[in-house]
Structure formats: C-alpha cells, structure tokens
Amino acid sequence: MTAVAAPANAGFASLDALVRPRSVAVIGASDEPARIGGRPIAYMKERGFDGALWPVNPKRATVQGLPAFAAVEALPAAPDVAIIAVPADQVTPTLDALGRKGCRAVIVFSAGFAEMDEAGAAAQDRLTAVARGHGIRMLGPNCLGVFNDSIRFYGTFTASFEKGFPIPGNIGIVSQSGAYGTHVFSAALDRGLGAPVVITTGNEAEVALGDALGWMAQAPEVEVICAYAEGIRESAQFIAALDLARRNRKPIVMMKVGRSQLGGAAAKSHTASIAGDDTVTQAVLDEFGVVRARTTEEMLDIAYAATKRIYPARNTLGVLTVSGGAGVLISDAAEQAGVEMPPMPEEAQARLRGLVPFCAPRNPVDCTAQVTNNLPLISEFAESVARDGGYTSILSFWSQTAAGRSVGPSLQEQMRKVRTAHPDRLWVMSMLAPNKVRDYEADGWICFEDPSRAVNAIAAMGRFGAAFARAADAAPGPSLPAVTLPAATPSEAVAKALLDAAGVPAVPEHACSDSEAAVMAADRIGYPVVLKILSPDILHKSEIGGVLLDVGDAAAVRQGFGTLLDRARRHAPAARIEGVLVAKQIKGAVEMALGVLRDPVFGPVAMVGLGGVFIEVLKDVGFRRCPFDAAEAERMIRGLRGFPLLDGARGRPKADVAALARALSALSAFAVAAGPRLAGVDVNPLLVLPDGQGCFAADAVVEVDG
Amino acid sequence: MTAVAAPANAGFASLDALVRPRSVAVIGASDEPARIGGRPIAYMKERGFDGALWPVNPKRATVQGLPAFAAVEALPAAPDVAIIAVPADQVTPTLDALGRKGCRAVIVFSAGFAEMDEAGAAAQDRLTAVARGHGIRMLGPNCLGVFNDSIRFYGTFTASFEKGFPIPGNIGIVSQSGAYGTHVFSAALDRGLGAPVVITTGNEAEVALGDALGWMAQAPEVEVICAYAEGIRESAQFIAALDLARRNRKPIVMMKVGRSQLGGAAAKSHTASIAGDDTVTQAVLDEFGVVRARTTEEMLDIAYAATKRIYPARNTLGVLTVSGGAGVLISDAAEQAGVEMPPMPEEAQARLRGLVPFCAPRNPVDCTAQVTNNLPLISEFAESVARDGGYTSILSFWSQTAAGRSVGPSLQEQMRKVRTAHPDRLWVMSMLAPNKVRDYEADGWICFEDPSRAVNAIAAMGRFGAAFARAADAAPGPSLPAVTLPAATPSEAVAKALLDAAGVPAVPEHACSDSEAAVMAADRIGYPVVLKILSPDILHKSEIGGVLLDVGDAAAVRQGFGTLLDRARRHAPAARIEGVLVAKQIKGAVEMALGVLRDPVFGPVAMVGLGGVFIEVLKDVGFRRCPFDAAEAERMIRGLRGFPLLDGARGRPKADVAALARALSALSAFAVAAGPRLAGVDVNPLLVLPDGQGCFAADAVVEVDG
C-alpha cells in the first residue's frame, strides 16, 4: 500500500504470452463462427493468425475445419495462451488442467463470477487462487478478451469486427468494460484511426488495468494509450505503469467514469469495482500527466493528435485565421484550456501589415479574406507565424475556403510547403472540407472541423510534454524521517511533538499538569496564551468548550485552568485528563488545514486547503499521493482557488508560502515513514505567518490504528 | 438605457424589405460573377430569384445578361432593397440617391468605415445620419449581407455557396462576423442541417444584432436561432428580441465570444465593438433562457436537437444502453449538465429483471448484450423506459450494434415502433453507424455518435423548456418606488434613508451632531453600539479609522465621538463633518454585499454576493438586470457557491433568505426608479439575521452623477 519504486520493464513483459502469443488453445471451441467459443477461431482463420491454433472440444473431431482436441491434456504442447469459453462451473477445473499442462496465460470469457453475486465472488476467489498457484497470468473472468492485429491474434468474441477489422496505427486501448473498449475501437475505426491492440480486463481477478497499461508502456506496437476505468483495484502496478509510460514518452488519455454521485451508483451496480475517491484518483493522474477525457470524442481527438508524437514541453500556440471572429473564439478556447498565445514579434507584425493593410497580425494572426485575392500571401503569413512567432503549435483556420474551387488547391500546396520546412511543430488545420481531410492528413496535418476541439487537443499535447519534461527533471523524493508511532492515537501534545520532529513545526507550548506550572509556562512563552484541555480521550476539544483564547495574565491562566478541568469533568466524565496545554497565541496568520488520509487503493494521500469556509463550504483543497517534495507542495498550494489570500490579497502581507510548502512536504514524508498503522492526520489550523516568519501547527490529531 | 416594455412584433417586421424583398437593385453591379458586385446577381440568376433584379452600372447596357441601369435615378421604381457594392467614398451619395428615390432598405457591402480608423468611423456616422434622415433600414457597412433561400434571395457575396446552396430547414443564423456566420452555415450544411436564412450585421451602423434576432423571432421561416456576437451595442431591441423569441418558443443558442482577456483583446482589434462586461451579458442571456454555446459544434448540436421543437419544461432523462460502461459515462455527463435521471419505478425494474436476469434496470437501464440474442426484448425495454419511466427525454445507446448485420435491421424497426407510440418525447440515439444515421433521422430520431454530446443537447432542450415555461408564468415586475435623488452623492445616512424608504431596511441608527445627542441615541438603541463618522466627503470610512465597534457605554460613546472627529480632521482635513452616526451593533449575522452598477449597454444591473473573501477573492457573485421580483432575487442568492453559509452550514442557524431576497428585489426597483443619474449603489455589509428576523443595511453608498 505504500509507494513503490517503478519496476523494470521486464515485469510488464510477463503479459507477452497474453497479447503476443505464438500458440493459442480455445477451450470450449465452437464450430459455429458466431458463437462465443467460435468467434476467436473464425477471426483468426479469416485474417490468418501466424501461429498454432488448437480448438479443444470433446464432442468433435474438427472445429471450423481445424483438427480438434478432446481435452486440455490431449494438446500437443502447453499453449502460450488458452482462451476459456466454458460454463462458469467448469472454469476452475479447466484452469487447473491448463496449469498442470504448463500453460501460463489464460483469457477467461466465461461470466457468472463476482459481477453476479456473493457465490460468484467466492467462486472467483477460488479461481484466482488456482491461477496464482500455477503462476498463470489470467485475464478476466467476464471479459471480452484481447486482440493484437499486428500478429493477427484475436482472443476476443467482440462482434465489432462486423464493421471491419483493425487498421494499422499506433493506438492501444485498455478498458475495464468490454463493450466500452470496443466502442472506442469502433469509433476510432470510423475516424480512420488505427487501434490494433485492445485489452479488456473484465472482473480483473488477476490481471488488472495496471498490468495492461504497463504492457503497452513497454510494447513497440503501441505509442498512444487510451484507457477506460470504472475503479482502480490496485496501486503498485498501476503507478508503475503510469511512471513507465511517462518515462517512455507514451501519453495516456483516460476516461475514468464514476465522477458523479449518479455515475458512482451506476458503476457499483455494473461491476464489482470499488469506486475509489475520485479526488484521489484525479491527484494520481495529475501526478503522472495522464490527461483525463470528459467524452469519448475528446479521448479520440487527443489520441489522434498524439499519433504525431509531438509533445511540446512548453506549449505556445500561434493562430493563423481568415476570420477574425474565429480568432476570438480560438483565443477564448485557448485561455479556457490554459494554452499560452504570446504575440508575434513587433517587426513581423509590421511586415505583415505591409502585405495586407487591414490584417490583424498580433496573434491570432488574421490574414483576412484578402489573401484569397492574392494566394501567395498565404505562405508568407504561415511562414511568418512559424519562423518569426516560433510557436510550438500552430492552428490554421480556413473554414470552407479550403474546400472552395478557387482557393483550395493553392492553399493546400502552400501550407504543405511551410509545414515541411518546420517539421518539429504541431501543425493543426481547422477547416470545413470533409472531402479534403484525407488529402491534408496525407500531407501530415492534424485536421479538425471545430477549432475549439483543435485547441483542446493541442492543450493536451502540451500537458503531455510538460509531464514528460517533469519526469526527466524529477528530483528524488524527500528523505523519510524515522517515525515510531505510539500504540494508539496519542494526545494533541504527543501528536504535535511527533510532527514537529518530522518537520511540521508546532506552536511553542507546554503541557502542564497543575495551574502553577501553567503560569510558569505562560510567563516563559509570553502573553496572551491559549489554554487547551489535554486528554487522549478528547479529540475535538472545542465541542466541549475545551479551548480558551486570549488568556492575558497569570491570574487568568489560573482561573482558566480550573474552568477547563470543570468542563472536562462535566462533558467527558470518563476521559483521562492529563492537564492543560499552554500555547503561544498567534495572531494575524492565515489559517490553513493540512491532512493525510489513507486511500484504500493509493495509500497515504496528503491534503492542503485554506481553513474555514474554503474547506468546509467550497471544498477548495489539493490532494497528492505521499511523499512529495516542497516544489510539488508549492504547486498544490498555488493551485488553490483561495491562494490569493496567501499572496497578499485584501491588503494582507504575503504569507510564508515556502515554509508552508516545506511543512506540507514534511507531512507527506511523515505519512509514508509512519507506515500502515497511521490512519490519518489532521493539522488544523496550521498558522502561516508573513513571509520569512514560518508557520506553526496550532492543533493536530494523529490517528493511529491500535 | 432603462428597461423597456417589449414592443409588438410589428417593430421587427420593419426588416421584411431587407430579408424578404420582392425587388432588388445592385449598385456597383459587376458583369463578372466572381466579383463582389457580381455574386448576388449570379446567385439569384442561378437559383431563380422570384422578384425583380435591377443591376445599376453606368458603364454597361447589360450585366450578366440583365438590362442594366445607369444610375439610381434611372431605376423603374424604388427597390424594396438595394445592395451597395461601391467604393467607400461613394457609399453616402449612393445612399442619399436611394433615399430620394424612395428606397427604405439597403445592404452595404463596402468596407472602409469604423473597422478601419477614426476617419472611417466619422464617415460611418455621416452615413448613418443620412440613412436615418431617409428612414432607411441599413445593414452594414462592411457586412457580408443576408440571404433567404425560401424566396431565393441572396443579398450576399459569400463564397461559401461554392460548396453548395442552402438546403431546406428551419434554422436561422445571425452573426456580427460575416466569415463566422457563413462558417456556421457551411458547417451546418456539412451535417445536413438546413439554415436557409442568414443575416450578417457587420459594423452595425443602423441595423444591429437585436433587430436581426427580433426579425427571426417573428418570421415563419425560422424556428431555431443561432447567433454569433462579439459585443452587444444596444439593449432595447436586443432585450425585446430575446423576449419575443422566448414568448414565441423559439430557442436562441448564442456564441458570445470575448469571454477571455485574450479573446477580449482580439475582439477589439477585429471590430469597433464595445465588448460589454461578459458577466452582465451572461446574466441577460440567463434571464431569457438563451443557451450559450462554447463551441461551434455545440451550437450546431443544440440547433439540431431543437429542430424537433420538443422543449420539456421539467426535463427528466431515461437512458437505455447495451453497455454498462456507457451508462456510467452518460450518468456522469447528465449530472455535469444538470439533467435529472430519476430511477425507474420498482415494479418496472422487477419486470425487466424477469426478462433479462443480469440487466441493471434502475436508470441507466442496461439491457446488456443479452438482448442481441433475443431481439424482441429491445422493444420491451424501450417501451418500459418510455411508458413506465415517463421520461421526457430518452437517450438510447447502441454503439456499433446498430451497424451490425445481425442486429441492425431489427433494432431500427423496434425502436421506430416505440418512438411512434410516444411522439411527445425527445428521442435521441447514440450509435456508431455512420451509414445508418440518415435512415434513423428519417424515422424522426436525433442521432449523435458521442453520448456526451447527446446529453449536452438534451440538457439544452430542458433549459429552453424551463425558460419558455417561466415566460408563460412570469409575474409582473416589482412596482417601482418614488425616488428623488439628491443633487450629488449623499452622506451614508441619507443613502440609507433613501434605500430604507425603497424597501432595503437600514440598521436602527441616529445621526448626532454632538456627543450628548450621541449618548441619548445610544441609550435609546441599546448597547453595544457602532459609531461612524458622518461626512458627505468621506465615502470609505474604515480607511481613515472612521468606524468604532463594540462601544459599550455612555462614557465610551463620549470618548469615541471625540476620537472620530480627531481622526477625520487629521486624515481628511477638507471634509465637511456633520457629526457621528450611532447605530445598533448587530452580531451573529451573515454579511452580504449588495450593489448596483450601470452597464453601458444594459443599464442598471444588481449584484449580490457573500461578504469578504467570497466577493473579493472568489468573485462569487450573481448579477441581474433591474428590476426583478423577490422570487428571481432568491434564485440569484441560491445560485451563489457560498449559499450553504446562509442555509445553515457549519452549525449556523439558517439566515433570513426571504428578507434578503425582498431587499435585493427592492434595490433593483430602486435602481430603475432612480433614473440615469444613479451611477451605482453599494450596500456592504447587509447583515442577514436568522430566519424571521430580517436583514439590515449597515453601510451604504449611493453614487449620484451631479
């Protein structure tokens, strides 16, 4: 459950037998090509699978013209992979026989397991145990299988090939839902996008999403990965896969559904998945630069643009347009998507104005319909945007002009010339010319009808590029402190001492068992002070009136000590009282809340937010998997909507954001070092003083599992 | 600049001569069909314009085979409309000649006016004056013109007809940008969507966006309106047009660009438009149920769905799917778009479970791929969703199944049957079957490949339906109070008295000119009180320390009186001091901020927000054009992100939202009654007490233009 080092690629290559087999057995093979046990054989025969194909059927001598075997035991050798398409109650014995035969990879189509009911879940557990016992990598059960068109292997019963077999391409698809995975495949096919490798993981009893992603991250067949997930069941392989894909510069665009409460409900009824907290999932995807698609169309838009494998580390967008209106629309879309559009250099602007007096050459560069009267101007403008503007991405908007008899041919020729001269740029064309798209694509263009979709895809390429660059520059994580947790949830004083030792500074304070000790402590700290009841049994002190503020002198300390003990006795008579905590009262600070939660999938996750309404009403918080360094902590803090309050808004002094970031990073390292008994941490408030003066935990709870 | 009553339809029919002429003169007519002055004639000849067509060209006897006239004076009669395609310096004399001839509508293609420079703007002003002097409705200058395919009238020089002439349909397009308007037309054409009427308004010297929208709102040719705007130049006609469209149940989907700072800059350099505050524009569009499209594609998705003219007043969505994954994705999209998906009735769920044991019948209703083995189940499921679920909108997801040889034909037939039995529903199909789309559309279906786009379009139909229903139920606006503004910005006390009289209650308080009067007032009000310096010259009191809180007894009132006068003398020596305001101190209230700003286009606009960081850091505010009733005020308040703070979040008592809504509505009525000398109002804070205890303005500024 804790963070793991990324394994070598080799770990993921263990799926080779599943996705790139040289011999395939089909258990439950059918002579009818349209049946579940018949389809894989029919597809591989039709397309010419380049390996051995062994149907197993006790009742027939041949299946679809191939010699059939009566049982697993009768097979000539252990197949690289076996497809299991038998009734649910025969799956486990079949798997066991395959294991004994020496087979180490299976695809289980059969349904009737965890997706059904409790009994099915128990049967699935037994199945998994048998697979593990034999060291078998098992896809499914209840999955639609896998295909790899590069070797004509179709270990799937999808009916989507009725529309057409895969076409060449470099997109791989991983999906927990078989129907949705093939939907994406089929939608890609309709757009002329080749996705030759598809893996559907079904119930994920053994092979899960992370394994499949990891295989693609190291496989030469795949350069761009589309993934569909309803819930992430394991973290180590998943994290390792995201990390490997990023290091190998293979972008992942993911549809993770179940964001909505509605969607969450449906996800549960659809699969046996544990829908992890979406906020945590989002934080993990952000960490590795996975771009999350909101729609299938957006997923394919991004995958399409990614097939060019141009990922600018710092993305700047130059726009060339024949319509000023479209230029404005594109600017709006770019700002929305967070893509910078720096202006053209002044000299270049002046030169373009000399060519077309009423053009708007800033960026967007509106060359106006004038260029259609003087066609060579088109390449003058395009060349200037590329050369003088130096943009990494260039979007060129031609509307229906590109389809016109009068302008179309010259436009294509001139734009081809400029594109060829600058092959390192991400060149994107927005035009209304359905019959020209294939021609432009042959020239190497990425084509979108809608300019907003083009901008969105361009933005994603920049996000991938930034993530790939971050991976290359990544500093080692923070060093972990030595942490020894107490046997159970400690008192506030112990909690703060633990955190203070780990680098989350505590407010100066003393635990005092009698009122005279409290007065001495207060004298040392300086007035005013805060008094708090001290008890391992009272976690939320303010609920019983256990906190006194603005205690101004020795007499007030004496009186306050008595008041707190009275209140504790009255409201929490069973609580063990250890005395009173005397602390420096800090004023004029910004109140933050820091915390750690233990995600069931991803382990310890740190949180930061501004105190009060920001957290409670607006849910304005940042999350990240532990541990992380101070630079990452500062990125989280700067991402808060309320960040201006730390940055001098409303006439305040700027707060010590650097100290806050150090404390947050230290908390993340503490959470990992503390190990799995750490159930959670709340540091609330953490008081952040003006720049240079640090920050202090004023209250803290460290929850420990006993 | 103030709110206006909606005029009768007749006002907008004055554009009939521009959009539905029976005789057309072309001034600057060219014999060459590809030139600007030649295209309208070429198009009308090719398509057979059903009226008189009179080219004017002093140098030729015929133009494109038609007899030409040497001058405007030589025309056989005043044309219904004249197209002016002459150099900029000849436009005004031409217009004058047309006016003298009796022509009352012109379309000015010529550029070189306000879009160019100061001199051009001055020339445009002269042109407009001549048009107004003759009572001529003038489109342009610098516009691409207008076309109305229903009568084969093409008063435009667009080159987009190279791709094809309009096809039948009920969509109208209004655009300030000619290039963008024809882009939308052309994109619609590519999708098989008919947009036979397009009006581009160019520089809007006389006819503006509102006139064109209003014409479409009353014209039988148009049922669905697409609009593109960079800036709104006038409010009366624009508001009247939105109101008329809503009353006539014609949806408007608008692309209003210039949202971003980037976009705003480009909009300014592209046209001479005043980019109004986008927040105010958004408030106006919301008021009338105009749906704002973020992309061109979204605009056309919504227009396409609207062509069925089914606008549910309370939209509920039922989803029938063969893929559980797609069901989750659709649920996410529906929640995001704010569309309700109530569950199916329990009995119906039980019955469907009887038909397909592993189906998920709640909603989304996942009939699973099982139905492909037993095709009649498809109509059983669909009929149950329509009849038992009673949903107003039904989205049916079939992925590539619809294209399959095995299922496709039966699927279409069964779905047709169910659709025909429930013709009042909004039936939408999501499928990957490009070659089947036209067949399904012929059956009356709305078809989208991407289910998320389908959900978005369905959501828009519900928003239109709700707006149309609100229009039908609309109560008369609030009655306006009698307001007499002082000659200049008054003191706080006078400001609050003005507002109090208009229905925005002020905190109990007394203006006191000496300290003994202050003590007497405080005794009457009850301690603690607040003391504030009273001066017409000091608007922001807290900046000079002019406010004292928690003044607890008579002695403190005396001392405070002196303190405030000292501070005023020191920090604002020139200010006229009228004394000190003694006010009840209210605690435990939620602090709100109310205000009025005068938008240059839409006049007085009221604002509401939660005080402090909510307004200043998060910009969490609602705006609405004045005046409006308390029900609308409450909708604004409930729309704030911070609303939970008024509704009992964090253990607070619920605040008196009804009183707050009354005060906000009263402020909106005050703003209108006060007339154009009212420059702005700030009520900050307005203290809202717990439910039933009202709200009080604690401070107010009423800015008056002298």
Side-chain angles (χ1 to χ4, degrees):
Chain A
M1 281 303 186
T2 55
V4 290
N9 295 8
F12 291 118
S14 73
L15 253 58
D16 276 355
L18 264 175
V19 196
R20 217 189 277 133
R22 283 151 307 163
S23 55
V24 180
V26 181
I27 325 299
S30 171
D31 197 50
E32 290 180 39
R35 293 192 66 104
I36 286 179
R39 280 195 164 142
I41 297 168
Y43 296 148
M44 285 188 264
K45 279 190 63 186
E46 179 175 347
R47 297 275 285 172
F49 170 56
D50 191 23
L53 190 51
W54 299 328
V56 174
N57 183 326
K59 298 180 186 155
R60 302 185 57 93
T62 64
V63 165
Q64 299 186 41
L66 296 173
F69 300 87
V72 167
E73 292 75 7
L75 289 171
D80 279 356
V81 70
I83 294 166
I84 301 183
V86 299
D89 59 355
Q90 296 169 35
V91 174
T92 303
T94 302
L95 184 70
D96 193 39
L98 283 162
R100 280 185 272 110
K101 184 82 185 177
C103 173
R104 293 295 170 260
V106 300
I107 299 165
V108 184
F109 289 171
S110 317
F113 292 91
E115 82 285 2
M116 193 177 65
D117 54 20
E118 290 297 314
Q124 181 169 314
D125 287 345
R126 288 191 297 274
L127 179 68
T128 310
V130 170
R132 296 232 162 95
H134 287 293
I136 293 176
R137 303 303 320 254
M138 176 174 71
L139 193 66
N142 186 32
C143 80
L144 202 61
V146 50
F147 59 87
N148 180 348
D149 189 67
S150 72
I151 56 162
R152 306 292 192 256
F153 168 57
Y154 308 98
T156 175
F157 64 96
T158 179
S160 63
F161 297 151
E162 286 190 14
K163 271 181 67 184
F165 278 98
I167 57 176
N170 59 8
I171 297 172
I173 298 170
V174 179
S175 176
Q176 291 181 330
S177 157
Y180 199 76
T182 50
H183 174 79
V184 174
F185 161 75
S186 182
L189 193 66
D190 284 347
R191 289 169 65 155
L193 278 177
V197 186
V198 174
I199 305 176
T200 71
T201 56
N203 284 11
E204 301 195 337
E206 203 276 313
V207 169
L209 198 69
D211 301 278
L213 287 172
W215 186 85
M216 290 193 178
Q218 57 82 59
E221 289 96 326
V222 173
E223 291 295 346
V224 177
I225 302 171
C226 292
Y228 171 89
E230 289 167 3
I232 315 292
R233 284 187 181 73
E234 46 76 40
S235 73
Q237 291 297 90
F238 183 73
I239 295 289
L242 300 193
D243 185 51
L244 182 61
R246 184 174 59 159
R247 284 193 282 126
N248 288 346
R249 297 178 64 83
K250 296 192 186 181
I252 300 177
V253 48
M254 182 174 285
M255 172 84 72
K256 162 72 177 63
V257 297
R259 275 178 298 178
S260 60
Q261 294 201 313
L262 221 55
K268 242 167 235 167
S269 76
H270 174 54
T271 73
S273 77
I274 303 155
D277 181 336
D278 192 68
T279 316
V280 172
T281 306
Q282 184 63 55
V284 172
L285 300 183
D286 286 346
E287 179 183 348
F288 291 97
V290 174
V291 169
R292 191 154 174 184
R294 290 159 294 190
T295 68
T296 313
E297 190 167 77
E298 186 176 69
M299 171 180 270
L300 291 176
D301 284 354
I302 293 170
Y304 168 52
T307 56
K308 301 289 173 226
R309 302 175 63 190
I310 294 178
Y311 309 112
R314 180 174 167 264
N315 200 13
T316 60
L317 174 62
V319 175
L320 177 62
T321 174
V322 275
S323 154
V328 182
L329 188 152
I330 290 167
S331 301
D332 278 356
E335 181 159 300
Q336 179 81 20
V339 181
E340 284 180 72
M341 287 181 55
M344 291 278 284
E346 291 294 342
E347 319 81 76
Q349 291 193 40
R351 209 168 45 74
L352 294 179
R353 256 189 232 101
L355 296 174
V356 174
F358 298 127
C359 78
R362 198 171 180 276
N363 188 25
V365 175
D366 177 7
C367 58
T368 80
Q370 284 299 321
V371 298
T372 61
N373 296 327
N374 186 356
L375 297 175
L377 287 175
I378 292 174
S379 50
E380 291 268 2
F381 270 80
E383 174 62 24
S384 178
V385 170
R387 184 193 57 223
D388 305 328
Y391 305 107
T392 57
S393 300
I394 299 169
L395 172 58
S396 157
F397 178 89
W398 296 98
S399 188
Q400 70 277 3
T401 310
R405 289 184 298 271
S406 42
V407 180
S410 172
L411 175 68
Q412 186 180 356
E413 189 192 319
Q414 293 188 62
M415 292 304 290
R416 181 196 299 131
K417 196 175 64 185
V418 180
R419 194 198 156 282
T420 307
H422 302 275
D424 56 329
R425 314 302 172 85
L426 188 68
W427 286 97
V428 181
M429 176 72 68
S430 171
M431 58 185 188
L432 291 178
N435 56 335
K436 296 276 186 176
V437 168
R438 292 288 174 260
D439 294 348
Y440 275 88
E441 286 183 337
D443 284 355
W445 288 89
I446 300 164
C447 299
F448 285 99
E449 180 184 304
D450 194 282
S452 306
R453 280 170 65 179
V455 168
N456 207 37
I458 289 167
M461 297 311 105
R463 289 173 61 194
F464 290 133
F468 297 158
R470 271 205 312 276
D473 299 343
S479 57
L480 302 188
V483 174
T484 309
L485 286 185
T489 297
S491 69
E492 176 187 340
V494 174
K496 285 198 290 196
L498 272 169
L499 292 171
D500 191 278
V504 184
V507 172
E509 63 180 18
H510 296 275
C512 304
S513 54
D514 61 51
S515 64
E516 288 317 305
V519 169
M520 281 173 59
D523 287 346
R524 260 202 314 277
I525 288 170
Y527 294 95
V529 293
V530 180
L531 303 183
K532 302 180 192 180
I533 193 72
L534 197 57
S535 164
D537 302 319
I538 302 175
L539 291 186
H540 299 287
K541 298 171 191 64
S542 54
E543 287 175 8
I544 65 149
V547 179
L548 298 175
L549 301 173
D550 274 317
V551 182
D553 56 28
V557 170
R558 269 187 208 96
Q559 191 191 340
F561 194 98
T563 303
L564 291 182
L565 262 60
D566 280 353
R567 287 181 182 169
R569 277 185 216 109
R570 205 162 55 244
H571 297 294
R576 289 161 294 167
I577 307 298
E578 299 176 347
V580 163
L581 198 68
V582 181
K584 172 112 193 110
Q585 176 155 328
I586 293 178
K587 286 201 166 175
V590 179
E591 295 197 5
M592 303 293 295
L594 269 50
V596 171
L597 61 86
R598 177 164 296 278
D599 183 78
V601 176
F602 293 106
V605 174
M607 183 214 78
V608 62
L610 282 134
V613 294
F614 280 91
I615 283 196
E616 296 182 39
V617 176
L618 301 173
K619 318 289 182 213
D620 178 25
V621 287
F623 283 92
R624 199 179 193 282
R625 210 167 52 94
C626 300
F628 47 86
D629 63 15
E632 181 59 37
E634 188 160 334
R635 269 196 290 276
M636 289 167 70
I637 295 160
R638 289 182 178 271
L640 297 172
R641 275 185 284 155
F643 177 72
L645 283 182
L646 288 163
D647 202 36
R650 309 187 77 206
R652 296 165 186 247
K654 288 200 183 213
D656 197 337
V657 171
L660 171 60
R662 284 192 302 273
L664 178 57
S665 168
L667 178 63
S668 78
F670 169 85
V672 173
R677 282 206 303 124
L678 181 74
V681 179
D682 276 312
V683 181
N684 189 359
L686 181 92
L687 303 169
V688 186
L689 292 169
D691 206 8
Q693 299 178 39
C695 63
F696 299 97
D699 197 353
V701 176
V702 172
E703 278 184 85
V704 177
D705 286 341
Chain B
M1 283 299 183
T2 55
V4 291
N9 295 8
F12 291 118
S14 73
L15 252 58
D16 275 355
L18 263 175
V19 196
R20 214 188 279 133
R22 282 151 308 165
S23 54
V24 180
V26 180
I27 325 297
S30 170
D31 196 49
E32 288 180 41
R35 295 191 65 104
I36 286 179
R39 280 192 163 144
I41 296 167
Y43 295 149
M44 284 189 265
K45 279 190 64 188
E46 179 176 346
R47 296 276 285 171
F49 170 56
D50 193 23
L53 189 51
W54 298 327
V56 174
N57 183 327
K59 297 178 186 156
R60 301 184 57 91
T62 63
V63 165
Q64 298 186 42
L66 296 173
F69 301 87
V72 167
E73 291 76 7
L75 289 171
D80 279 356
V81 71
I83 295 167
I84 301 182
V86 299
D89 59 355
Q90 296 168 36
V91 174
T92 302
T94 302
L95 184 71
D96 192 40
L98 283 162
R100 279 183 275 110
K101 184 82 184 178
C103 173
R104 292 295 170 262
V106 300
I107 299 166
V108 184
F109 289 170
S110 317
F113 291 91
E115 82 285 3
M116 193 176 66
D117 53 19
E118 290 296 315
Q124 181 170 314
D125 288 345
R126 289 191 297 275
L127 180 67
T128 310
V130 171
R132 294 233 164 94
H134 286 295
I136 293 176
R137 303 305 318 256
M138 176 173 71
L139 193 66
N142 186 32
C143 79
L144 202 62
V146 51
F147 59 86
N148 181 350
D149 190 68
S150 72
I151 57 162
R152 306 291 192 255
F153 168 58
Y154 309 98
T156 176
F157 65 97
T158 179
S160 63
F161 297 151
E162 285 190 14
K163 272 181 66 184
F165 279 98
I167 57 176
N170 58 10
I171 297 173
I173 298 171
V174 179
S175 177
Q176 290 181 331
S177 157
Y180 199 77
T182 51
H183 174 79
V184 174
F185 160 75
S186 182
L189 193 66
D190 284 347
R191 291 170 63 155
L193 277 178
V197 186
V198 175
I199 305 177
T200 71
T201 56
N203 284 9
E204 300 197 336
E206 203 275 314
V207 169
L209 199 68
D211 300 280
L213 287 173
W215 185 84
M216 290 192 178
Q218 56 83 59
E221 288 95 327
V222 174
E223 291 295 347
V224 178
I225 302 170
C226 291
Y228 170 88
E230 290 168 3
I232 315 293
R233 285 187 181 73
E234 45 77 38
S235 73
Q237 291 296 90
F238 183 73
I239 295 290
L242 300 194
D243 185 53
L244 182 61
R246 184 174 59 159
R247 284 193 280 125
N248 288 345
R249 297 180 64 82
K250 296 192 186 181
I252 300 177
V253 49
M254 182 173 287
M255 171 85 70
K256 161 74 177 63
V257 296
R259 275 177 298 176
S260 61
Q261 294 200 313
L262 223 55
K268 242 167 234 167
S269 77
H270 174 54
T271 71
S273 75
I274 303 156
D277 180 335
D278 192 67
T279 316
V280 172
T281 306
Q282 184 62 56
V284 172
L285 300 183
D286 285 346
E287 179 183 347
F288 291 98
V290 174
V291 169
R292 192 155 173 184
R294 290 159 294 188
T295 69
T296 313
E297 190 166 77
E298 185 177 71
M299 171 180 270
L300 290 177
D301 284 353
I302 293 170
Y304 168 50
T307 56
K308 300 289 173 225
R309 303 175 64 189
I310 294 177
Y311 308 112
R314 181 176 166 263
N315 201 13
T316 60
L317 174 62
V319 174
L320 178 62
T321 175
V322 275
S323 154
V328 182
L329 189 153
I330 290 168
S331 300
D332 279 356
E335 182 160 300
Q336 180 80 22
V339 180
E340 285 179 73
M341 286 180 55
M344 291 277 285
E346 291 294 343
E347 318 81 76
Q349 291 193 41
R351 209 168 46 74
L352 294 179
R353 254 188 235 103
L355 296 175
V356 174
F358 297 128
C359 78
R362 197 169 181 276
N363 188 27
V365 174
D366 176 6
C367 59
T368 80
Q370 283 299 322
V371 299
T372 61
N373 296 326
N374 186 356
L375 296 175
L377 287 175
I378 292 174
S379 51
E380 290 268 2
F381 271 80
E383 173 64 24
S384 179
V385 169
R387 182 193 59 222
D388 305 327
Y391 305 107
T392 56
S393 300
I394 299 169
L395 172 58
S396 158
F397 178 88
W398 297 97
S399 187
Q400 70 276 3
T401 311
R405 291 184 298 270
S406 44
V407 179
S410 172
L411 175 69
Q412 185 180 356
E413 188 192 319
Q414 292 188 62
M415 292 304 289
R416 180 196 300 130
K417 195 175 66 186
V418 180
R419 195 199 154 282
T420 308
H422 302 276
D424 56 329
R425 314 300 172 86
L426 188 67
W427 286 97
V428 182
M429 177 70 67
S430 172
M431 59 184 187
L432 292 179
N435 56 334
K436 297 277 186 175
V437 167
R438 292 286 176 261
D439 294 347
Y440 274 89
E441 286 183 336
D443 284 355
W445 288 88
I446 300 165
C447 298
F448 285 99
E449 180 184 304
D450 193 282
S452 306
R453 280 170 65 180
V455 169
N456 207 37
I458 289 167
M461 298 309 105
R463 288 173 62 193
F464 291 134
F468 297 159
R470 272 205 311 278
D473 298 344
S479 57
L480 301 188
V483 174
T484 308
L485 287 184
T489 298
S491 68
E492 177 188 338
V494 173
K496 287 199 288 195
L498 273 168
L499 292 170
D500 190 279
V504 185
V507 173
E509 64 181 19
H510 296 277
C512 304
S513 54
D514 62 50
S515 64
E516 288 317 307
V519 170
M520 281 175 59
D523 286 347
R524 261 204 313 279
I525 288 169
Y527 295 94
V529 293
V530 180
L531 302 183
K532 301 181 192 180
I533 193 72
L534 197 58
S535 163
D537 302 318
I538 303 175
L539 290 186
H540 299 288
K541 297 171 192 65
S542 53
E543 288 175 7
I544 64 147
V547 179
L548 299 175
L549 301 173
D550 275 317
V551 182
D553 55 29
V557 169
R558 271 189 207 95
Q559 192 192 338
F561 194 97
T563 302
L564 290 182
L565 261 62
D566 279 353
R567 288 180 181 171
R569 276 185 216 108
R570 205 161 56 242
H571 297 293
R576 292 160 289 168
I577 307 298
E578 297 176 348
V580 163
L581 199 68
V582 181
K584 171 114 193 107
Q585 177 155 325
I586 294 178
K587 286 202 166 175
V590 178
E591 295 197 4
M592 303 293 296
L594 269 50
V596 171
L597 60 85
R598 177 163 296 278
D599 184 77
V601 176
F602 293 107
V605 174
M607 183 214 75
V608 62
L610 281 134
V613 295
F614 280 91
I615 283 196
E616 297 182 38
V617 176
L618 302 173
K619 319 288 181 212
D620 178 25
V621 287
F623 284 92
R624 200 180 194 282
R625 211 167 51 94
C626 300
F628 48 85
D629 63 15
E632 182 58 37
E634 189 160 335
R635 269 194 291 276
M636 290 167 69
I637 296 160
R638 290 182 177 273
L640 297 172
R641 276 184 284 154
F643 177 71
L645 283 181
L646 288 163
D647 201 37
R650 310 187 78 206
R652 294 165 187 247
K654 288 200 181 212
D656 197 337
V657 172
L660 170 60
R662 284 193 301 271
L664 178 56
S665 167
L667 177 64
S668 78
F670 169 84
V672 173
R677 281 206 304 122
L678 182 74
V681 179
D682 276 312
V683 181
N684 189 0
L686 181 92
L687 303 169
V688 186
L689 293 169
D691 206 9
Q693 298 178 39
C695 64
F696 299 97
D699 197 353
V701 176
V702 173
E703 278 184 85
V704 177
D705 285 340

